[in-house]
């Protein structure tokens, strides 16, 4: 119970707990309703009631009398297990949940929203999934995606690998959207997967009928059954239902705080478009060049050593060299600068950059423009940065460059090797050609 | 049949246990919407883009989906939303979380609550009320409880005002396109107050009275006026009947009729129920395919369905014969009730034995189907011809409704029709469909703030009318028009600085402006300042009273000020000397007539002078000068 101070005393005086039906009498009016919990950060002068009409309201307890009308039963959420028979004609798809509510169940009695966390919950909320696959669910984490960290990437990768090695035909990872593109990039580098690994989530919470979660999940199941054996992100293609895009995990980014179609392929095009469960490969893909990796019969290979002491620093007018110095002094193993334009930072930062590279700390330059490729040959500052040993991230997204450096430093201590890996296209993260089509589509 | 109508005329409402409640939705006239900064105006502009969406009902804890929500979902409708780049934003599209609660709207709702003697809550919580008919992009309407336990006194006694809620209006239904309902987002999010009385009204006339009085209260505050800005729903039940909600009662005068017709309906449904019970009626839970029996029918609807690969399906209602055709409301039969349920599943209607043979269905075909279904003489059948699944769903609904008919009058939400009848809309929503809107912080309503509001409550329209009649010696008609057209405040402001007679000002405000608006003039240009200036011109003798309308037209047409308009339109009054010289000119060019008639030429010359000086000189002055000149000649 989050009541405290005066309101807690007020409730305690009549032994009232959450869920009880009470009457609060004031000078001109009385209210009857069920006591609900109050937000932790709210004041201690109000008690929240749910009225018979369904409305909630806050009642100020000053000059009020409280009466217990009826002890509430502790709402027990005991749902019968979902009995699903395996259908041999359908593919086995695993859904791994890391948090972020792609499905939830509302308790209208109290108005509480319970995230559907277990596989059963998920299937109860979206039974339609079973029409398309034998769905197995596994909850491995329950965190908000802003709380993701490299060790969780590894944990996720290992769980995915288990599912695949246990015969999953494809794996869907339910993930909060904020950092989904970091995780998709991380999984791309960590795993060599023989089957599709599809990350998905929801921009509109799944407790609302308009949630995008359902179509994102449906699209992801279709993607997990497809031939695209890469780590991808499947989210709404437009503001409309039900179409989704399948984005390459290393070249996708959250580009809007709230829209459904927030995820965009940057410096490339989506791999496929999925509508009503039908996956259509992007016709611009050059199949002969094997623009995507096909499904194969092999084991998962994990390269899951990471170096988490890597910093991502944004350059801005007025930035101080102290910031780079701080990372060097604190023992950071790598720095990615999100530079301006073609890949620049103020020239007065160059000594600090040199100090870092001289200390054996790789410094990678990406661009905060996001679109386009880093090219440090054009202007003098860029050339000086190159001389200082800065590694160009080419057309990699800053976030992808950061994740890749975390991964690369886990693979090798050799800085020449680091540079070579960073500039070699491993998982579609580097596109050599540019195209008119790649900007703001 | 006649007997039923006769009893209805003598209806004793108390005996019947009639209970009526009223629910009024009124749009507020705020600058912005309730949860975003978009304008609260409807638009006829072509939408800039359209968005396709699906809604799915969410499950509650018990796996129980709300009854009304579930039915909507079974129709599997997709929705198209018409959106604008400037007039609507991402909030309406459910692509952005709502902005904080519009404080102006909250304040207005507090004013209205106070005028209705209500108790305002200490803390306002925004809720999500599930609505999955597509009219809200999120699948829920945002609403919150503002006040409870108010009252209103009427000549039929005191009525409790139970609740006042502040909520967002729904999207505007535009039509249907390939099975998808099209909504426009312009209306979505306009603030509304919802005022609910308790169901304690016992007489049809009382409802009208209460609706009128609440309307008066609303119109004393900043609310929207005009068609569609206020919506009234009625809750009606009789003791042996059920609670029925009548949506969208437009005309106050129709309200008593509406109540009477619903009472009739419930009485007749109770009658049908008793008859069914006495006949041991039974609904056979099976849907039969009778397409084969009707393959050569001349019925257009049936043959069309067959031709298009659809089905002709039938159900058997044991003991229903003769009752399906029985009238329940003027011009509406029990069969119409059943058809209402079927239509919700998308079919255009149904056939029942009480009306057959007809519509191209022959007696032989009726006999064939009856034989196939093994119908007794007391039994009836119902036919639906349409695309297979549609027809099946329609009959499932009819089965459900028919079963209920044996047991009870069903609780329903019905749509009020223009002839004071109603048609089936959906089951009454169950109460369990609200949960808290977590994206919007709660709003404390301090008692000090509330006190300030309550010390400055607006005058009610009736009070205002009485006062301005008294204060400005206006006729009742003018005062009424000013109040009704929401011009009283402007009138009083102008009178505060003008020495002109109140009737001239009032009739300009009440009638001239109305005429100009009707003529399509841009009367929004006629600000209070502009009106003041115009009346000043009259006061200073620069224009005549008669020229006021023309001057205002000039301003509407783009003249920069009333004085410019008067000058450009040649309406500025001439000085006495100028008038004199005009008159001298007339006299000299009519010397022959004057010679001949002397003072007898006065009338003709006055006519000529006024034709020339109309709007530029006062008639009395012209008359005086002309008379002098003629006499002194
Ligand atoms: Zn808006």
């Amino acid at each position: 119970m989050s009541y405290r101070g005066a309101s807690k005393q007020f409730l305690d005086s009549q032994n009232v707990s959450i869920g009880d039906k009470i009457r609060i009498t004031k000078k001109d009016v009385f209210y009857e309703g069920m006591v609900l919990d109050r937000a932790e950060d709210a004041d201690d002068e109000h008690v929240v009631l749910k009225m018979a009409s369904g409305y909630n309201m806050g009642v100020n307890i000053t000059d009020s009398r409280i009466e217990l009308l009826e002890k509430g039963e502790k709402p027990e959420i005991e749902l019968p297990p979902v009995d699903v028979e395996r259908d041999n004609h359908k593919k086995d798809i695993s859904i791994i949940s890391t948090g972020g509510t792609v499905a939830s169940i509302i308790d209208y009695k109290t108005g509480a929203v319970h995230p559907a966390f277990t596989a059963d919950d998920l299937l109860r909320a979206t039974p339609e999934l079973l029409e398309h696959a034998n769905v197995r669910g596994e909850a491995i984490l329950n965190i908000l995606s802003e709380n993701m960290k490299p060790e969780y990437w590894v944990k996720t990768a290992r769980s995915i690998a288990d599912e695949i090695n246990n015969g999953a035909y494809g794996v869907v990872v339910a993930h909060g959207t904020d950092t989904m593109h970091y995780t998709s990039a991380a999984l791309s580098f960590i795993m060599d997967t023989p089957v599709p690994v599809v990350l998905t989530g929801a921009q509109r919470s799944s407790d609302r009928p308009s949630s995008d979660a359902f179509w994102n999940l449906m699209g992801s199941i279709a993607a997990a059954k497809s031939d695209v054996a890469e780590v991808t992100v499947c989210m709404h293609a437009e503001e409309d239902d039900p179409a989704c895009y399948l984005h390459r995990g290393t070249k996708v980014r959250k580009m809007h705080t709230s829209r459904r179609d927030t995820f965009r392929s940057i410096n490339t095009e989506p791999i496929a478009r999925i509508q009503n469960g039908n996956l259509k490969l992007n016709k611009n893909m050059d199949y002969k060049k094997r623009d995507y990796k096909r499904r194969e019969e092999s084991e998962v290979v994990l390269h899951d050593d990471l170096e988490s002491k890597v910093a991502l620093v944004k350059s801005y007018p007025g930035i101080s060299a102290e910031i780079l110095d701080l990372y060097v002094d604190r023992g950071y193993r790598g720095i990615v600068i999100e530079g301006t334009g073609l890949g620049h930072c103020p020239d007065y930062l160059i000594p600090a950059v040199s100090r870092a590279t001289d200390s054996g700390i790789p410094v990678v330059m990406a661009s905060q423009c996001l679109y386009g490729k880093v090219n440090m040959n054009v202007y003098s500052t860029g050339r000086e940065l190159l001389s200082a040993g800065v590694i160009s991230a080419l057309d990699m997204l800053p976030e992808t460059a950061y994740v890749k450096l975390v991964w690369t430093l886990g693979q090798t201590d050799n800085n020449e090797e680091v540079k070579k890996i960073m500039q070699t296209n491993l998982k579609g993260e580097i596109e050599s050609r540019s195209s008119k089509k790649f900007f703001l589509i | 049949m006649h007997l039923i109508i006769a009893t209805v005329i003598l209806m004793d409402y108390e005996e019947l246990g009639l209970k009526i409640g009223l629910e009024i939705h009124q749009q507020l006239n705020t600058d912005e919407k309730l949860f975003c900064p978009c304008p609260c105006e409807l638009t006829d502009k072509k939408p800039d883009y359209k968005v396709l969406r699906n809604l799915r009902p969410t499950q509650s804890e018990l796996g129980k989906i709300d009854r009304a929500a579930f039915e909507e979902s079974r129709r599997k409708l997709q929705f198209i939303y018409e959106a604008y780049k400037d007039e609507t934003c991402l909030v309406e599209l459910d692509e952005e979380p709502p902005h904080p609660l519009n404080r102006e709207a909250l304040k207005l709702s507090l004013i209205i609550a106070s005028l209705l003697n209500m108790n305002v809550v200490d803390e306002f919580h925004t809720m999500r009320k599930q609505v999955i008919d597509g009219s809200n992009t999120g699948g829920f309407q945002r609403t919150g409880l503002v006040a409870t336990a108010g009252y209103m006194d009427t000549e039929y006694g005191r009525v409790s005002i139970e609740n006042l809620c502040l909520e967002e209006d729904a999207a505007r239904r535009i039509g249907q396109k390939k099975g998808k309902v099209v909504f426009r987002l312009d209306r979505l999010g306009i603030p509304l107050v919802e005022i609910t009385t308790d169901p304690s009204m016992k007489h049809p006339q009382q409802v009208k009275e209460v609706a009128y009085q609440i309307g008066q209260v609303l119109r004393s505050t900043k609310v929207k006026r005009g068609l569609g800005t206020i919506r009234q729903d009625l809750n009606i039940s009789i003791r042996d009947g059920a609670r029925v909600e009548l949506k969208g009662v437009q005309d106050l005068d129709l309200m008593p009729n509406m109540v009477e017709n619903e009472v009739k309906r419930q009485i007749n449904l109770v009658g049908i129920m008793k008859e069914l019970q006495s006949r041991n009626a039974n609904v056979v839970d099976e849907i039969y395919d009778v397409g084969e029996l009707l393959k050569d029918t001349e019925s257009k609807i049936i043959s069309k369905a067959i031709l298009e690969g659809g089905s002709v399906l039938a159900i058997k209602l044991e003991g229903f014969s003769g009752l399906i055709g029985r009238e329940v409301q003027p011009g509406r039969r029990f069969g119409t009730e059943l058809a209402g349920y079927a239509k919700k599943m998308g079919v255009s209607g149904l056939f029942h034995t009480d009306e057959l043979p007809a519509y191209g269905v022959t007696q032989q075909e009726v006999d064939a189907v009856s034989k196939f279904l093994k119908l007794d003489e007391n039994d009836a059948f119902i036919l639906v011809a349409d695309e297979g699944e549609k027809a099946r769903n329609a009959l499932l609904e009819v089965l459900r409704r028919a079963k209920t008919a044996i047991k009870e009058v069903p609780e329903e939400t019905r749509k009020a029709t223009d002839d004071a009848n109603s048609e089936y809309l959906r089951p009454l929503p169950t109460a369990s469909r609200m949960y808290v809107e977590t994206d919007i912080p709660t709003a404390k309503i301090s008692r000090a703030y509330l006190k300030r509001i309550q010390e400055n409550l607006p005058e009610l329209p009736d009070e205002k009318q009485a006062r301005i009649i008294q204060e400005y010696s206006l006729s009742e008609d003018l005062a009424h028009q000013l109040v009704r057209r929401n011009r009283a405040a402007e009138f009083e402001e102008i009178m505060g600085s003008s020495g002109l007679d109140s009737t001239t000002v009032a009739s300009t405000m009440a009638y001239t402006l109305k005429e100009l608006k009707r003529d399509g003039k841009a009367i929004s240009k006629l600000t209070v300042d502009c009106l003041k200036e115009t009346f000043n011109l009259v006061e200073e003798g620069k224009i005549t009273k008669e020229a006021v309308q023309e001057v205002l037209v000039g301003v509407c047409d783009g003249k920069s000020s009333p004085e410019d308009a008067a000058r450009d339109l040649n309406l500025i009054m001439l000085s006495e000397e100028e008038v004199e010289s005009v008159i001298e000119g007339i006299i000299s060019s009519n010397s022959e007539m004057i010679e001949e008639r002397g003072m007898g030429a006065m009338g003709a010359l006055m006519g000529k002078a006024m034709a020339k000086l109309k709007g530029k000189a006062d008639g009395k002055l012209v008359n005086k000068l002309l008379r002098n000149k003629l006499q002194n000649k």
Side-chain angles (χ1 to χ4, degrees), chain B residues 33 36-38 87-92:
Chain B
K33 286 185 173 175
C36 71
C38 292
E87 286 84 353
T88 60
C89 70
L90 294 185
V91 174
E92 286 97 329

Side-chain angles (χ1 to χ4, degrees), chain A residues 7-24:
Chain A
S7 55
K8 183 171 190 314
Q9 263 177 27
F10 182 74
L11 293 174
D12 285 348
S13 73
Q14 294 298 314
N15 234 334
V16 168
S17 40
I18 288 165
D20 292 354
K21 221 183 133 196
I22 62 164
R23 177 189 294 135
I24 299 182

Side-chain angles (χ1 to χ4, degrees), chain A residues 400-429:
Chain A
T400 302
Y402 159 75
V403 169
K404 191 174 181 186
L405 190 57
V406 167
W407 178 79
T408 304
L409 290 171
Q411 311 305 307
T412 174
D413 294 326
N414 179 332
N415 276 356
E416 270 315 301
E417 192 73 3
V418 169
K419 182 173 181 178
K420 204 178 124 204
I421 294 174
M422 283 305 289
Q423 298 197 319
T424 306
N425 179 27
L426 301 176
K427 296 293 170 85
E429 73 277 19

Side-chain angles (χ1 to χ4, degrees), chain A residues 305-336:
Chain A
D305 290 320
L306 302 181
E307 173 51 68
S308 58
K309 267 193 118 105
V310 172
L312 175 56
V313 182
K314 187 171 190 133
S315 177
Y316 51 88
I319 186 176
S320 160
E322 291 169 15
I323 290 176
L324 292 184
D325 289 340
L326 180 89
Y327 285 118
V328 173
D329 296 342
R330 291 284 165 94
Y332 272 71
R333 294 281 329 279
I335 297 173
V336 176

Side-chain angles (χ1 to χ4, degrees), chain B residues 115-180:
Chain B
L115 286 167
L116 294 170
N117 312 301
M118 302 187 79
N119 284 287
V120 170
V121 301
D122 298 321
E123 195 178 60
F124 176 88
H125 290 224
T126 308
M127 308 294 294
R128 295 172 175 173
K129 187 196 265 183
Q130 261 215 36
V131 182
I132 58 159
D133 63 0
S135 60
N136 290 75
T137 44
F140 51 76
Q141 178 193 34
R142 296 190 184 94
T143 173
L145 181 66
V146 174
T148 61
Y151 64 86
M152 171 168 280
D153 287 317
T154 74
E155 56 178 296
Y156 297 90
R158 181 168 279 197
V159 173
S160 294
I161 313 286
E162 263 184 350
N163 288 321
L164 186 144
C165 298
L166 177 60
E167 52 193 38
E168 52 181 3
D169 205 345
R172 191 151 63 106
R173 193 185 157 121
I174 297 292
Q176 204 150 0
K177 208 172 165 186
K178 291 183 195 153
K180 299 177 187 87

Side-chain angles (χ1 to χ4, degrees), chain A residues 16 54 61 131 232 235 315 324 333 342:
Chain A
V16 168
I61 56 171
E131 288 173 26
T232 52
M235 291 285 288
S315 177
L324 292 184
R333 294 281 329 279
L342 284 165

Side-chain angles (χ1 to χ4, degrees), chain B residues 429-449:
Chain B
T430 38
S432 62
R433 49 169 200 175
M434 268 209 255
Y435 63 111
V436 72
E437 167 60 90
T438 44
D439 299 344
I440 297 164
T442 58
K444 268 178 221 124
I445 302 166
S446 87
R447 297 301 104 170
Y449 176 62

